[in-house]
Amino acid sequence: MLKSLEPKVLEIIKDENKSIDTRLGEICELLRNNVDHYDWVGFYFKNGDKNELKLGPYAGAPTDHTIIPFGKGICGQVAVSNKNFVVPDVAAQDNYIACSITVKAEIVVPLFVNSENVGQIDIDSNTPDPFTEEDERFLEFVNQKVAEIL
């Protein structure tokens, strides 16, 4: 199922008539609208020289978490660890920042440009434990393609 979205991701990435933020927003919408367990999809990026992440384009309910300090929450931990973080049950995580009471699981995959962690894709799901290795590989693919336009 996720593999079938790869050509659409590439089509969005290659549309140079649109701004990078517009293309990232379209990727978020594509994923949210086509993957049942992706209820909120967004990009966070390193905020200049600060040790914090700033919310970029996203699809889903508005969030108060527009700035996340490194180390705080799942996104902040990925900014430090440079590793994928799959959370099957957010209630079991001590360092979880709740965006919504409906969120049950989260996956965050770092985005690298020239081997530097510049941001991440963050997905919240209202379905308990929905993420598989296929999700991880697909989101790594998305981030590799996004890195080419940053």
Side-chain angles (χ1 to χ4, degrees), residues 97-117:
I97 304 171
C99 290
S100 163
I101 56 167
T102 59
V103 175
K104 303 286 187 253
E106 182 174 14
I107 184 170
V108 180
V109 176
L111 198 165
F112 297 96
V113 174
N114 299 324
S115 303
E116 182 188 350
N117 184 347

Side-chain angles (χ1 to χ4, degrees), residues 85-146:
F85 199 150
V86 179
V87 182
D89 176 8
V90 295
Q93 282 292 319
D94 291 340
N95 193 5
Y96 173 68
I97 304 171
C99 290
S100 163
I101 56 167
T102 59
V103 175
K104 303 286 187 253
E106 182 174 14
I107 184 170
V108 180
V109 176
L111 198 165
F112 297 96
V113 174
N114 299 324
S115 303
E116 182 188 350
N117 184 347
V118 298
Q120 54 202 222
I121 191 166
D122 175 24
I123 297 176
D124 291 342
S125 181
N126 299 339
T127 306
D129 195 12
F131 301 114
T132 65
E133 194 170 311
E134 183 187 10
D135 291 286
E136 284 192 76
R137 298 298 82 82
F138 173 67
L139 296 171
E140 288 168 353
F141 164 82
V142 169
N143 280 354
Q144 285 168 351
K145 297 304 164 191
V146 166

Side-chain angles (χ1 to χ4, degrees), residues 29-32 42 44 49 51 56 60 62 64 69 74 81 86 93 95 102 115 128 131 133:
E29 290 290 346
L30 174 75
L31 301 189
R32 183 167 176 259
Y44 281 93
D49 292 336
N51 283 332
D64 293 336
I74 308 308
S81 74
V86 179
Q93 282 292 319
N95 193 5
T102 59
S115 303
F131 301 114
E133 194 170 311

